[in-house]
């Protein structure tokens, strides 16, 4: 419940203060840079060393990648069919293909299935959505914004991206079993805690509904995929086709049904890839996901998965 209060307060304050002169016009850009260069790397360095990889980890990790692949195919097809601009397509692939698997996902999973489901939520989040965002997601962003750059330049930009660098370091800490000092771990946790409040506040500062409603069709397709088709795809693959019914499947379906990833929208907006559409995916997607998650909870209960 506290996380939903944070969502309402931070998003609301951002929208409210956008109408005043309290913050500079481009304050959201500075906030976004702080998130990308400081907050997000701290979050990755805190969580990733604690991840335990085993055979049951495959389903939630694979689900995150599957949902993103589905997003890529779905929006690439729509772009071809409707002649959408590349930046619109990339914006939707990333914001609809990546879910809010941690800030909203963790408390929702703990509430609906219990604390034992958190280990699978972490798998969906760290080796799943965060790794996708900092690798394939960033590659698509770089390609869309630097069409004249070579593949080598794009890959170089990926490896110099602070969250990706933090992911590599965190992976090494995990692999070699290095134990961080408690003081350092707590410091990282404190800094990591700024990601969601700052990101939501930044989204609020940027959120505005275009007078021409030009983004409404794109927004509709984006939220259709994220809130309905993504969890439906997950349900069909693991429950219907593979016949799986374990906790990892339940968590994977619920994580696939989460609202768009706040951090993904912030990074998309930072690179000026249809910033309005990216922030609308968050600002409208999060409230709508409350209702769609309730529906998916009912569906999973009927199927005996909850």
């Amino acid at each position: 419940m506290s996380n939903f209060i944070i969502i309402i307060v931070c998003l609301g304050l951002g929208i409210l203060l956008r109408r005043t002169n309290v913050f500079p016009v481009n304050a959201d850009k500075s906030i976004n840079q702080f998130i990308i260069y400081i907050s997000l790397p701290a979050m990755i360095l805190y969580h990733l060393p604690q991840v335990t990889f085993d055979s049951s980890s495959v389903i939630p990790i694979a689900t995150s990648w599957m949902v993103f692949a589905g997003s890529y195919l779905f929006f690439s097809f729509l772009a071809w069919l409707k002649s959408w601009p590349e930046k619109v397509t990339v914006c939707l692939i990333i914001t609809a293909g990546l879910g809010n698997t941690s800030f909203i996902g963790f408390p929702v999973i703990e509430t609906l299935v219990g604390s034992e489901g958190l280990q699978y939520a972490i798998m969906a989040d760290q080796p799943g959505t965060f790794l996708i965002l900092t690798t394939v997601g960033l590659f698509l962003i770089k390609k869309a914004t630097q069409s004249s750059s070579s593949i080598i330049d794009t890959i170089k930009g990926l490896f110099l991206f602070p969250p990706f660098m933090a992911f590599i370091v965190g992976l090494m800490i995990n692999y070699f079993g290095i134990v961080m000092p408690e003081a350092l771990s707590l410091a990282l946790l404190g800094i990591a805690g700024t990601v969601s409040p700052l990101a939501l506040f930044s989204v609020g500062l940027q959120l505005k509904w275009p007078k021409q409603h030009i983004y409404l069709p794109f927004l509709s397709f984006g939220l259709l995929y994220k809130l309905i088709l993504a969890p439906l795809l997950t349900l069909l693959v693991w429950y219907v086709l593979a016949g799986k019914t374990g906790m990892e499947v339940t968590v994977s379906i619920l994580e696939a049904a989460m609202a768009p990833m706040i951090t993904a929208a912030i990074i998309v907006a930072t690179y000026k890839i249809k910033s309005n559409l990216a922030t609308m995916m968050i600002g409208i997607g999060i409230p709508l996901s409350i209702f769609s998650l309730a529906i998916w909870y009912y569906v999973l209960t009927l199927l005996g998965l909850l």
Side-chain angles (χ1 to χ4, degrees):
M1 181 59 70
S2 62
N3 279 10
F4 286 102
I5 294 174
I6 290 174
I7 290 171
I8 295 170
V9 171
C10 293
L11 192 61
L13 284 174
I15 295 171
L16 180 64
L17 292 176
R18 179 172 59 83
R19 303 176 181 276
T20 70
N21 295 320
V22 175
F23 286 87
V25 175
N26 294 321
D28 57 281
K29 293 181 174 59
S30 297
I31 295 172
N32 292 350
Q33 290 298 94
F34 183 88
I35 294 169
I36 291 171
Y37 280 85
I38 300 174
S39 303
L40 189 53
M43 173 181 279
I44 294 171
L45 287 174
Y46 175 78
H47 285 292
L48 190 57
Q50 302 178 44
V51 172
T52 302
F53 297 95
D54 55 35
S55 59
S56 64
S57 307
V58 173
I59 288 179
I61 296 173
T63 295
S64 295
W65 286 87
M66 178 180 66
V67 167
F68 187 80
S71 178
Y72 181 86
L73 294 174
F74 182 69
F75 292 109
S76 294
F77 173 74
L78 287 177
W80 171 79
L81 189 67
K82 298 176 177 292
S83 300
W84 286 354
E86 182 182 14
K87 288 188 175 182
V88 168
T89 308
V90 170
C91 176
L92 289 175
I93 288 172
I94 294 173
T95 56
L98 298 173
N100 201 318
T101 49
S102 57
F103 182 64
I104 295 178
F106 289 175
V108 168
I109 293 301
E110 187 171 20
T111 300
L112 297 183
V113 304
S115 58
E116 63 271 20
L118 287 178
Q119 60 177 322
Y120 301 114
I122 292 174
M123 293 299 167
D125 182 63
Q126 289 294 307
T129 54
F130 264 114
L131 180 57
I132 296 167
L133 175 62
T134 54
T135 54
V136 183
L138 185 65
F139 182 85
L140 291 175
I141 290 172
K142 292 283 187 180
K143 183 175 179 294
T145 55
Q146 302 174 6
S147 55
S148 60
S149 299
S150 66
I151 295 296
I152 294 177
D153 289 335
T154 302
I155 294 174
K156 186 186 296 183
L158 165 64
F159 278 93
L160 294 177
F161 187 55
F164 183 78
M165 295 169 66
F167 182 86
I168 296 299
V169 173
L171 205 58
M172 293 174 65
I173 293 173
N174 185 303
Y175 180 78
F176 290 107
I178 299 172
V179 180
M180 284 190 290
E182 184 179 3
L184 176 58
S185 182
L186 289 175
L188 288 173
L189 178 60
I191 298 172
T194 64
V195 171
S196 294
L198 285 178
L200 286 162
F201 182 72
S202 177
V203 167
L205 286 176
Q206 301 171 71
L207 187 60
K208 54 185 177 182
W209 190 268
K211 294 180 180 179
Q212 298 84 4
H213 304 300
I214 56 174
Y215 290 126
L216 186 57
F218 306 129
L219 180 68
S220 300
F221 278 115
L223 293 180
L224 169 68
Y225 180 82
K226 185 69 209 74
L227 303 180
I228 299 176
L229 298 183
L232 179 60
L233 171 65
T234 307
L235 177 68
L236 290 175
V237 169
W238 298 124
Y239 178 74
V240 178
L241 297 179
K244 303 286 186 181
T245 58
M247 173 74 72
E248 61 271 26
V249 173
T250 302
V251 171
S252 296
I253 295 170
L254 289 172
E255 286 285 34
M258 295 296 165
M261 185 182 187
I262 298 171
T263 310
I266 289 297
I267 292 177
V268 168
T270 300
Y271 281 90
K272 298 179 180 179
I273 300 183
K274 301 302 176 184
S275 302
N276 286 342
L277 177 58
T279 53
M280 288 167 67
M281 284 288 289
I282 296 297
I284 297 174
I286 289 177
L288 281 181
S289 70
I290 297 173
F291 300 100
S292 60
L293 278 168
I295 295 173
W296 281 110
Y297 178 81
Y298 178 70
V299 170
L300 294 181
T301 301
L302 287 179
L303 295 175
L305 291 172
L306 273 172

